[in-house]
Amino acid sequence: MAATNYKILFFKILKYTGITFSVLLALMFITPLIFADKIREQVKKTANEKLNGELNYNEANVSFFRHFPSLTLSLTDFKLNGSAPFQNERLIAADEVAFGINLGSLVFGKTIKIDQIFLSNSLINVKVNEKGEANYNVYIAEKEKEKEPEEASDTGLKLEAIEINNSKLVYDDQSTEFHIDAFGFDYLGNGDFSQAIFALHSKVKIGKLNVIYQKEPYLMNKKVDGDLITKINTNSLSFVFEQNDLFINKLLVDFTGKFDFLKDGYNMDFKIKSDKSNLNDLFTAFPPKYITWLKDTELKGNVDLLLTLKGRYIASQNIGPDLNLDLKIKDGFINYKKSAFPVSNLNIDVATKVPSLNPELLQLDAKNLSLNIEKNYLKTKLKMDGLSAPDIDLVLNSNIDLEKLNQALGIPNVELKGLLVSDLKAKGKLDQKQKLFPNASGSLNLKNGFVKTKYYPNPITNINVVSKINNTKGTYDGLSVVLVPAGFTFEGEPFWVKADLKNFDDLNYDIKAKGTLNISKIYKVFSQKGLDVDGFIKADLELKGIQSYAQKGDYSKLKNKGTLELRNINVQTEYLPKSLLIKEGIFKFNQDKMSFNTFLASYGQSDFKLNGYLQNVFNFMSSKNGTLRGSFTLNSKYINVDEFMSSTSTTTTIDKIPATTENSPKPATQETGVIIIPSNLDLQFYATAHKINYQGLTLQDGKGAVKMKNGKIVMQNTGFNLIGCNVTMNAAYQAITPKKAVFEYQIKATDFDIHRAYKEVKMFKEMASAAESAQGIVSLDYKIKGRLNQQMMPVYPSLIGGGVLSIKDVKVKGMKMFNAVSKTTNHESIKNPELSKVDIKSTVKNNIVTIERFKFKYAGFRPRIEGTSSLDGKLNIKMRLGLPPFGIFGIPLTVTGTQDKPKIKMGSQGQDIEETKDAEDN
């Protein structure tokens, strides 16, 4: 009886369960049909009201079964464009975008609530341009207004979950030059997004992750798998990363921390930690070039990694967070391509601190860096505080075969050999300004060294260096370095140096050097650049003395002699934008003087032939304070002064990056600069040049004396021929910054052809545009001084000077000012005046040319002119047009306006021209 009752109860339960299931199943089919139109209309209405980006899709389907058990509105072939200025580019494109519908709001509420979003096979393309304008601002926020309590929108967004499957995420921020690609992107995030404070639980998987910063790839094709818990406070824009376990390829990283948005910056406290990882796993997270190496390399060892970034970042106040990095590798093992000599016992213990992200505050503590190759060893300890003037504590011990080390590590593109033996200790402050050098003792020796690269077929061989370093005073004057000897053989040519250097504060030197250096071929060994250079240095020198002997002029105590021969050498210096090619030159050293004959050189299009001498050469080369003195005669067929102008390029070097970045190289922008004269030169030249080009001027048969001292050039009694006119001048020039220079200039030009100057001299045409139709001969005697800008052009408001323009015979034709005077006074004959034997005196200051009163006679008239004009063409000229026959009666006139559009009126009341003072005038 009891068994029967149980059987009946079981069938009843099964019956009612089946009925319930059938009803639910029927409702799942019927409900979407009943509410489909309502859902579509309200979602469409919300999209139109809330989105300012163009939205398109093919079909809209409502179903429980696309993302069971959620009821979803699915939009297929979904496309949403970004906000301005990216309104014509996709923000999101997906095979399907589905919105999860809250059933309670659908059945019982007046509004429909969306609590889930699903994206499948999508492209999420986030862009920010250089101005910081983003494409994701497509949601139109509600304007603040009073609402009745019962009012609500038709459709509400109260997200609790976001799911993204098999998608691609691109983040391209050109304002920070930061780029991310994520391929095969899967994401599941759960949390109540509508709350002010909520916890976001996330699972993320990325098949390939690329991270590129300033065109440099940091992560490429990395797999990411992580479980993340983040607390978000939307009121204060604060993020707390509580638990974040990330796999980057095989490397497990624990990421925790906090990030707050401040009014003018950020407050952060990040910690990235990886404990007891494998050395091989660490390298799987490295950039691509190391991954190629990793495929052929056996790596073992335990790794502990800790990176912290803590503090405020406020760019406007130059405040930065503190960066700490600790790296420990224990019992490391490296073997490239199964070398017979692997690296073993690799141990690294390095702690680095960069307070406020300021490199000058760097604290490096490398407690241990050691390895073994069989019985060979390398052991190093280094502690360093500071960067420009660091405190150093160094211990270096090695007895290592470089060939075995090279094979074990697989160093690319270079073949090394030789035994490196070192025993060196150094402790103290390295400060060039204070002339401090760490206490040091020890040696650094290389025996039977060998270097060969893929860039050149032949190696540098027989590299032998025996050096001893000692310092017991912690200063420059206590430092001594002995090389006994240092040498090598290259292309069958041996070269060696012996040196004994003491007291670097007042250098006591004893140097012998002999041999040939093929500079271009040595350079080819190490680099592919500069392959067209073919030069060498041949030395046979003996230099012995004390630096102060040269400074005091005690040249008899010096024992410098020998020769140094240069041929086809390119010399580059920070002071000049192009390289100077020394075609040939033989220097002879005798005590403190280096003399040379027939020194041939070229610079761009310019050529030079020098004879003379240099003095204080060794002091100049060994000390920043040393001044190079000399006297030369210089001859040139052609000098292009424009090529000597310094320049800085803002080109960004762009390596090859993946096409997915969609970034194209930006063209270089070139900024010119003034000619900079080094301050530690004291040189005299007597120069002759057949032809000189400067800013469109062609000067013929130039000659004169030039003195260069304390960063200033002085030209005395310089003469040249310009468009048939003999010119003599004196000048002084000095650069103040790379973009500013000052000058003084005195010129005397006799019988200057105005019409020819206007046609052939660009500067004259720009500064004297009124001379377009003038013809005749003038002479000029003028002094002026002022400032030059970075294009080596005068800054007009800075010009101060004066002089005399002597008119011999000049016909003024078509000059607008005289045309206007002729029309105003109704005297046609004054339209094209002729001037003869008139001296016009003027001064220049604050952009104003003041013309002193001058008179001339023409066609019975006796004009008298005085007044001012600005260098940019404004006029305030007073005229008295003396009428025939004797000019006793005259018509007073004023000329205002500009040279192109003069305004003439009767009377003597003019309009003062406003002065333009030099912005840098103190």
Side-chain angles (χ1 to χ4, degrees), residues 557-575:
K557 296 181 180 180
L558 300 175
K559 296 182 180 179
N560 298 329
K561 62 180 181 178
T563 59
L564 187 67
E565 182 178 352
L566 309 181
R567 289 189 184 275
N568 299 325
I569 300 297
N570 264 349
V571 177
Q572 292 186 337
T573 170
E574 60 183 309
Y575 301 113

Side-chain angles (χ1 to χ4, degrees), residues 528-549:
Q528 290 178 307
K529 300 177 182 178
L531 298 181
D532 56 337
V533 179
D534 184 17
F536 69 86
I537 299 176
K538 187 175 183 180
D540 187 358
L541 296 172
E542 292 185 18
L543 308 173
K544 187 174 183 179
I546 298 177
Q547 187 175 336
S548 59
Y549 290 168

